[in-house]
Amino acid sequence: MPKESYFKNYFSIINTALNSIHADKLIDISSLIEKTVKSKNKIIFVGNGGSASIASHLTVDCINAAKIKSINFNDPSILTCFANDYGYENWVDKALECYADPGDLVILISSSGQSKNMIVGANKAKSMDVNIVTLSGFSSENPLRQLGDANLWVDSKSYNAVEMTHHIWLLAIVDYIIEKNRGV
């Protein structure tokens, strides 16, 4: 395959993934975020690997650009403490137990939707009256996708396509909230 064709095809796949969501779903999630902000609660972003990087970026943009109280669990000391003491599959559960309050919103990001720690965390959030948004890909029947109050799913088995789509969708939501608050 010629180099130009590879990249044209690659970007076409990403474009298709980005445009696969109806804007109403993104608006619904922005409404959940705004409801959380109005009740003086916080947004909690959680992910593994590349999704943890997305969680970090979104936390920074929410805090700095959108003035939304947000946190993420990317501190190696917290992760390794909870994973060591409670098992890796339970670290999100334990982090939510320590940091989440009823009325908060947790955004769980897992490319496959199969990450046991995210599934256990979603169940913990439900038990704590914490609202849940999930972002996943791969199988439309993945277990994480079944647990959110709102769920964004990418029809792809490519980690990079799924992660880039999640990232852009979430950044678009933050930018939408910023513009909406400016009255634009």
Side-chain angles (χ1 to χ4, degrees):
M1 170 184 294
K3 293 174 189 168
E4 296 81 19
S5 296
Y6 172 83
F7 288 109
K8 186 172 186 162
N9 183 55
Y10 187 87
F11 295 136
S12 176
I13 290 167
I14 301 301
N15 189 46
T16 299
L18 285 170
N19 289 310
S20 68
I21 191 97
H22 194 278
D24 287 347
K25 288 201 72 121
L26 301 177
I27 291 168
D28 289 345
I29 292 170
S30 72
S31 295
L32 275 172
I33 292 170
E34 290 169 324
K35 176 183 156 199
T36 303
V37 170
K38 284 180 186 166
S39 65
K40 302 205 183 302
N41 285 90
K42 66 186 161 298
I43 312 300
I44 302 168
F45 292 96
V46 189
N48 294 311
S51 297
S53 296
I54 295 167
S56 288
H57 185 178
L58 267 293
T59 302
V60 170
D61 277 15
C62 279
I63 292 169
N64 190 42
K67 309 303 183 212
I68 296 171
K69 184 171 35 173
S70 304
I71 63 170
N72 66 68
F73 302 128
N74 289 345
D75 182 308
S77 300
I78 291 172
L79 287 164
T80 56
C81 172
F82 290 161
N84 183 64
D85 291 356
Y86 305 102
Y88 192 79
E89 68 279 359
N90 295 312
W91 79 260
V92 176
D93 173 298
K94 192 61 177 173
L96 290 173
E97 184 179 307
C98 291
Y99 292 97
D101 298 301
D104 283 349
L105 173 64
V106 63
I107 299 178
L108 299 167
I109 311 165
S110 170
S111 292
S112 69
Q114 300 281 342
S115 302
K116 184 74 171 163
N117 58 350
M118 297 298 153
I119 295 164
V120 171
N123 287 316
K124 179 62 159 198
K126 281 182 177 295
S127 76
M128 296 178 66
D129 197 28
V130 171
N131 296 306
I132 305 163
V133 170
T134 71
L135 288 96
S136 63
F138 296 20
S139 170
S140 62
E141 301 302 316
N142 75 67
L144 185 63
R145 187 178 185 207
Q146 313 308 313
L147 297 173
D149 299 304
N151 306 285
L152 299 178
W153 175 74
V154 180
D155 186 9
S156 176
K157 292 187 182 357
S158 164
Y159 275 98
N160 283 338
V162 171
E163 289 174 347
M164 285 188 287
T165 302
H166 288 166
H167 203 161
I168 292 170
W169 282 345
L170 287 169
L171 289 172
I173 290 168
V174 171
D175 286 343
Y176 172 76
I177 291 169
I178 292 168
E179 291 301 311
K180 188 174 170 189
N181 289 337
R182 285 186 187 147
V184 175

